Structure formats: structure tokens, C-alpha cells
Amino acid sequence: MEFKARAFNPATLKVDALVLVIPTKGPLGTLASSLDQAGGGVISAILKNGELGRNGNSLALYAPAGIEARKLVLLGGGERPPSESQFQKLAGRIASQLTAPGIKSAALCLDGIEVAGRDGPWRATQLARALGEGLYLFDQFKSKKDQPRPSLARVTLHAEGRDTAAVNAGLDKGLALAEGINLARELGDLPPNVCNPGYLADRARELAKATPGLSAKVLGEKQLETLKMGSLLSVTAGSAHPAQFIIMEYKGGAKGAAPIALVGKGVTFDSGGISLKPGAGMDEMKYDMCGAASVFGTLATAAALKLPLNIVAIIPAVENMPSGNATRPGDIVTSMSGQTIEILNTDAEGRLILCDALTYVERYKPKAVIDIATLTGACVIALGNHASGLFSNNDELASALLGAGEDANDRAWRMPLWEEYDQQLKSNFADMANVGGRNGGSVTAACFLARFTKGYPWAHLDIAGTAWNSGSAKGATGRPVPLLVEYLCREAG
Ligand code: BES
Ligand code: MN
Ligand code: ZN
């Protein structure tokens, strides 16, 4: 889809849909007034009769006299100026109008909301992101499509003045972000018989091939044995699909500049292993690779925006299954770091693959390492679906991530990594156990990871609650791609 900002006369533009956002109260602005005049006063008549509750509903006029657009949509658009969250909601409503079937070309006039000035580029990004996300449809496994695909191809946003270039840059950023979010959603929505470790490896090679500056390399189980990743390999032992250790490198920064590392949990299906999960809702454990998916999406967006950064992405991709070869509760394994782990619960597998990935990443001498994982059900209990859990051994990194999440409407909330929690991981037989009991489950999981990340600034995002929606809107959300992209944009300056 193409989305551009420029000045135009709304009355004479030939488009399938022209959306005019009208403020809750006060007089019409210049854009709305000129359109009203061209239409013989139709807009002011509608408002006068109270036919458009000006806050939150919409009214469509087909073939409006004096106006070239095939359809004019009036959208009651709330307060002036809108707060950030009000604008984000408005962007979503605009998107749902424009992504309706049958609309190929559209134009958008925000009457009374500035797209120039300081807030212009940010607002443009929100609009483009909402539109891009609105175009996502996952129907490749439906033999009868129950919904026509949106056909939107071209949108023009009314903007004038010297700021138009900055607004267009904001639109480009929002579209690139939506691409990354939608890539993460697609990978999360794919069924686990398709999206297995080998499939993720193929997608990584494909993405690298299609993306300038991005390369991909995949290590197989033989190489992981040579690297002594005993912890990671214990998770994949019961699966018929061999583990794939995916490494992608994006080189947009100065040669030799320390990279930012993203490590994504890629459990393509988490049955729990021998510590088998209950049957109800087990299908949702196909989402246990959403950390990996968010790394794919973030890389795709970072590369599309040509961010002047070096990024290394590590994705340990495995399937956690029970079998005669599966790891047992009670088994003791040796991680790549040399630390030994008593596996008391095979369902606490995320930390077992991440610890080896977090040791492996040391060789890149990264300036920061961020792991992203659907790590614990306890995090969903603690924070629900609203915020990702953030754990970090570095205050500067933590506040950068929190700030990025605020700005991108993809919030995280910081949680502790105190010694007292770490003590819950004591084992009678090995250096540590892989679980620390029910209490503070998301914190003890993070404390486990912290034992492997002492050599660099590190943050862990537990996205168990934020990566997908349950219920009737079941599906991957693409979070925390917005947070990560915003963080990287700020790092890029
Ligand atoms: N993938 C799950 C965590 C999860 C649970 C994500 C619910 C999304 C929704 C993880 O591997 C897991 O099973 N964690 C266990 C840890 C426990 C055994 C200490 C959990 O949360 O129950
Ligand atoms: Mn598990
Ligand atoms: Zn898991």
C-alpha cells in the first residue's frame, strides 16, 4: 500500500472513499468548510440536525453532490487537540473505515487536527501503522474465505506546508512498522505443524535473501553439540523436528560498531514435555515462538528503515515434546556456560534454550542484549495482557525500553531481580534448579536467565501476556515489535 501526504482539494479528488474527521464541538475548520460549500451545505445540515453524534460515530454519503469522491465518510473525531491515546483510537477507527472491502483509493482530511508541527510525524506514524495493521488477514487455511480481502492500494493524507516531508517520513515509518508487526502476527498465527523449527530457519534465510544488509546462518544439532549447548539440546530431545539455531545479522551501522543483540524464544510448540500441560487450551502453545516472531518483525522493520545500527538476532528454535527420548524431571544437564541445571519441570523449557543462546551471544561483544520470550504464565497473572514484564541488570537500558514502550503504545513494566528470588532456584544436586516454585514465577524465571547474562547490559521481556489475544479475537498481536522498533530508532539517533 502507498500512503502519502500532500495538499489537495478534497472536493475534486477522485477517490473511492474520502474520510473527513470532524471535531466534537466548535465550528468546522477550513477543509471541512470548503467541502461543505462544494456539497451545497450538506455537512453543516447533518451536524445541525444532530445526525452525526460528533464523538465516535460515522456517517457515509454515497455519490455526494458536488463532491468527486465515490463515498464521503464523516467521522466524529472527538477532542481538539487529541491526547496520544485518543489519537491512537481515532487512527484505529479511520483504519477500519478504509480497510473495508471495495475501497482501492482513499483520501483523509483531519479537520482541526494538525499533521504539521511537532506532533505531525508521530501522528502520521500512528495513522500508517493502524492502516497497515488493518490490512492483516490470516485466511490461508480457510477453504471458503468468510471475508473479502481489503483492496486498499493508495491513500493520500491532506497536509500542507514545509513539514510535509517530515509527515511523509512519519508515514513511511508507520508502514514499515506495520509490516514488521504483521510478519510477527503471521508467524504466531501459523499452526505448529507448519511453523516448526525448520520452517523458521527457512523463513530466516528467505528474509535475509530479500533484505539488503541482512544475512542468515543456521546451526544444526551437531554444531550445537560441539558448542556444548547441553541445556538447549535437552529441550529438543523428545521432538521429531531437530533444533535450529538461527543467527541473523543486520549490518547498517559503522564497521566494527558493537551490535545490539535480540534473542527470541522460538518454541514452535510447547506441550510441556514429560511435565505435560493440561489439554484445555494447549493449542495456544503454538504461540510459544512469539519472541522469535517479534525478532523477525523487528529486523524486517529496522532494515526497511535502513537504521544505521548493527543488530545480531539469535533464535533458538525447538519443539518441546514428550517421547521415550525426552528429558525427564530429575535429569541434570550442563549448559554451554558450564553451569549445571537440575530439570525439575520439563515445562520450564524456555529458560533452558535461552540460557545457551545468551551464552553464545557473548562472542559478539554486544553493547546490549534483549531477550524476548513467552516465558511464564505467572507474568500473565501479574500484569495481564496490558504490559510486558521487563527485567534488566542495567537501569539505563531498562528506562530506554520503558520509554520506547510508552511512545509506541506497547508498554512494559519493570519487575525486580532480587537476590531473595534468585535463592529460590537452589538445587540439592546441581548448580541450580530450572524452577523456583509457584511464588514469583516470572521473577525466578528471569533470575535464572540473569545467571547467564553477567557479561553485558541485558534486558528480558516476558511477553506471555502481550503476544496474543485469547477468546474470540484469538491471534498473535505482533507485540513487542512496536516497543523494540522504537527503541532501535532512538538508539539510531
Ligand atoms: N510457554 C510457557 C509460558 C506460557 C504460559 C506462555 C501461558 C503463555 C501462556 C512456558 O514454557 C511454561 O510452560 N512456563 C511454566 C513454568 C513453570 C513450569 C515454572 C508456567 O508458566 O507454568
Ligand atoms: Mn513450557
Ligand atoms: Zn514455553
Side-chain angles (χ1 to χ4, degrees), residues 265 270 272 277 285 288 320 346-350 375:
K265 173 179 173 181
D270 180 12
K277 286 182 181 293
M285 279 303 118
D288 214 16
N320 186 22
T346 64
D347 196 11
E349 85 297 339
L375 202 62

Side-chain angles (χ1 to χ4, degrees), residues 24-43:
T24 314
K25 40 182 187 290
L28 292 179
T30 45
L31 272 179
S33 306
S34 78
L35 205 53
D36 187 38
Q37 239 162 45
V42 63
I43 298 172

